Amino acid sequence: MRRNCWRPCLSLASLRGIHGLTRRAYSLGCETGELVGPMTAGHVLPCRAAVAWEAGKPLVIQQVEVAPPQAMEVRMKVKYTSLCHTDLYFWEAKGQTPLFPRIFGHEAAGVVESVGEGVSDVAVGDHVLPVFTGECGECRHCQSEESNMCDLLRINTERGVMLSDGKSRFSINGTPINHFLGTSTFSEYTVVHAGCLAKINPLAPLDKVCIVSCGVSTGLGATLNVAKPKQGSSVAIFGLGAVGLAAAEGARIAGASRIIGVDLNPNRFEEAKKFGVTEFVNPKDYDRPVQQVIAEMTDGGVDRSVECTGNINAMVSAFECVHDGWGVAVLVGVPNKDAVFMTKPINILNERTLKGTFFGNYKPRSDIPSVVDMYLNKKLELDKFITHRVPFSEINKAFDLMVKGEGLRCIINMED
């Protein structure tokens, strides 16, 4: 069947005209004034987006057009988003093939505006978190209880288009703008594959739970789902950035009695106490490998370790600092693709276990809603991760803060 390529486009003025009516007539459980429902479904929506035109250059906030969702896609209104180091890394175009112009962003929360053909798991008005990886529900990985590495929707940093037709849903005057990680949340509206959306409790504050969709879940799950420390155990965390502190938060929740933070920046130590870290080690303060220092501190080694830097030396230290017989080390940080990890085989033969993890072993659709519930049940503390807030018009300030190494997470209010 020949598909008509023409799509009706609402003007900004017409959007303002139906803005108040839409919520009352069509949305489900959304805040007053939410622009969702049949009055916008099927239309190309003009909205603001922060577009990266060149590597390392300030994002430009300008009007883009967002096409309707196709089969198995969802168009959502982004309410809040935050900046992650992954955004910064690809914005700087370090270590990979640059892809510009592009709309970055992948930690966010919002509301479903419209759905494409075949979408049944979410509906208009649902509160959702977009995730950089997905869960098709049909492949071997999705069918396995042990894996979250979906064959269809696994993270792809080089793809700038949607899977269904190989085209972008963003454009400016007819010129396509590349997607990022299938999410592109630095836009007031974005289109995401349905398998990359986690439907969450509508009572959860979107300006806080938005950080669950990447960094927090990655670190938290590395500890709770992979390392699995027991009550009263000892845990070493390598790297006290946002992901490392989320790993420490997981150790705190699990009831670890000793949480040892390892970092080269002593300025991070005081902040880490809020996340349950009880002791601190700066490798620069010693003339011997840090794994030896930790082994001496813990009578042979810690029960669990989580490495969150991606530095090869830190990875070796994290593995070699766990106790023989039962110690488990989990690698979270992503090294250079050509990096080589070396350790003596006897370290493995002496019954130390080395594991890797991706997104904390969480399946996006199945598991992330429960992480949000952990926050609502006051088990997981999210507020302490949020150190800055800026309006969307000042999104470049969030980049400045991260470049300077200031703060953990900066929340960007898309409606300010």
Side-chain angles (χ1 to χ4, degrees):
M1 179 178 179
R2 187 172 183 272
R3 179 172 295 177
N4 190 338
C5 63
W6 179 84
R7 292 282 185 179
C9 180
L10 294 178
S11 67
L12 286 174
S14 64
L15 289 179
R16 295 188 188 100
I18 65 173
H19 186 74
L21 173 62
T22 306
R23 156 59 175 96
R24 288 186 293 274
Y26 299 104
S27 70
L28 305 173
C30 303
E31 298 177 16
T32 301
E34 207 66 80
L35 187 60
V36 294
M39 297 185 76
T40 56
H43 293 277
V44 174
L45 292 182
C47 70
R48 295 182 304 162
V51 182
W53 289 94
E54 297 180 60
K57 297 294 180 66
L59 306 187
V60 179
I61 295 182
Q62 55 194 119
Q63 181 175 314
V64 301
E65 294 180 347
V66 186
Q70 300 301 305
M72 295 308 296
E73 295 175 359
V74 174
R75 188 164 61 186
M76 62 174 287
K77 179 176 176 60
V78 181
K79 298 281 286 180
Y80 298 93
T81 187
S82 59
L83 181 63
C84 170
H85 271 95
T86 303
D87 298 305
L88 183 71
Y89 179 79
F90 284 92
W91 169 70
E92 292 177 329
K94 293 181 177 179
Q96 78 282 330
T97 303
L99 186 60
F100 294 96
R102 203 170 200 181
I103 298 175
F104 288 104
H106 64 284
E107 273 192 358
V111 180
V112 174
E113 175 269 337
S114 59
V115 301
E117 180 183 351
V119 176
S120 58
D121 289 339
V122 296
V124 172
D126 283 344
H127 286 202
V128 291
L129 303 183
V131 183
F132 65 89
T133 188
E135 182 184 352
C136 72
E138 299 177 358
C139 69
R140 290 183 65 188
H141 285 279
C142 288
Q143 293 292 324
S144 169
E145 295 181 357
E146 299 179 23
S147 176
N148 66 341
M149 302 185 71
C150 176
D151 283 331
L152 177 66
L153 301 172
R154 190 180 305 184
I155 183 174
N156 186 326
T157 60
E158 297 180 356
R159 186 172 60 234
V161 294
M162 299 300 292
L163 280 172
S164 64
D165 58 6
K167 296 179 181 179
S168 173
R169 301 292 174 259
F170 299 107
S171 63
I172 298 178
N173 297 323
T175 300
I177 307 298
N178 290 294
H179 292 250
F180 179 64
L181 300 183
T183 51
S184 293
T185 60
F186 294 165
S187 173
E188 291 176 317
Y189 286 88
T190 190
V191 176
V192 181
H193 192 286
C196 297
L197 282 179
K199 178 182 175 180
I200 63 169
N201 189 325
L203 297 178
L206 298 182
D207 65 325
K208 296 178 181 177
V209 298
C210 60
I211 64 174
V212 167
S213 63
C214 182
V216 168
S217 294
T218 296
L220 183 75
T223 302
L224 294 179
N225 299 335
V226 186
K228 299 180 180 179
K230 298 178 181 178
Q231 181 86 21
S233 61
S234 58
V235 181
I237 308 294
F238 286 74
L240 298 177
V243 174
L245 292 176
E249 177 76 357
R252 181 193 66 79
I253 292 171
S257 60
R258 297 181 71 180
I259 305 175
I260 303 170
V262 183
D263 203 291
L264 296 172
N265 184 356
N267 295 328
R268 289 180 166 179
F269 292 165
E270 191 62 33
E271 182 78 14
K273 293 179 182 178
K274 300 177 184 177
F275 299 82
V277 176
T278 57
E279 301 160 71
F280 306 95
V281 174
N282 185 339
K284 294 191 294 185
D285 293 340
Y286 301 90
D287 58 2
R288 58 193 185 281
V290 69
Q291 54 265 46
Q292 293 182 17
V293 175
I294 294 174
E296 293 166 4
M297 293 171 58
T298 56
D299 190 25
V302 290
D303 301 308
R304 302 288 187 268
S305 71
V306 184
E307 197 290 318
C308 303
T309 72
N311 178 276
I312 292 298
N313 292 329
M315 290 181 171
V316 173
S317 297
F319 175 55
E320 295 183 353
C321 81
V322 298
H323 206 289
D324 58 4
W326 61 80
V328 177
V330 178
L331 305 184
V332 180
V334 181
N336 182 286
K337 64 180 181 179
D338 297 321
V340 177
F341 178 98
M342 296 181 65
T343 189
K344 296 178 180 179
I346 193 65
N347 290 323
I348 298 174
L349 293 172
N350 284 341
E351 299 189 359
R352 294 178 178 88
T353 300
L354 178 66
K355 293 185 175 183
T357 180
F358 171 70
F359 192 48
N361 204 228
Y362 285 119
K363 293 179 184 286
R365 290 192 299 159
S366 300
D367 299 332
I368 292 304
S370 66
V371 179
V372 172
D373 290 341
M374 286 176 63
Y375 169 72
L376 291 175
N377 295 331
K378 302 187 183 303
K379 189 175 182 180
L380 168 65
E381 300 173 4
L382 292 178
D383 299 58
K384 56 194 177 186
F385 286 94
I386 301 169
T387 53
H388 298 85
R389 292 179 179 271
V390 297
F392 184 38
S393 60
E394 298 177 8
I395 188 173
N396 287 302
K397 286 186 177 180
F399 279 79
D400 293 339
L401 289 167
M402 184 163 284
V403 169
K404 294 175 183 176
E406 298 179 10
L408 295 174
R409 279 295 185 265
C410 179
I411 303 300
I412 300 159
N413 187 338
M414 298 299 291
E415 298 185 324
D416 279 357

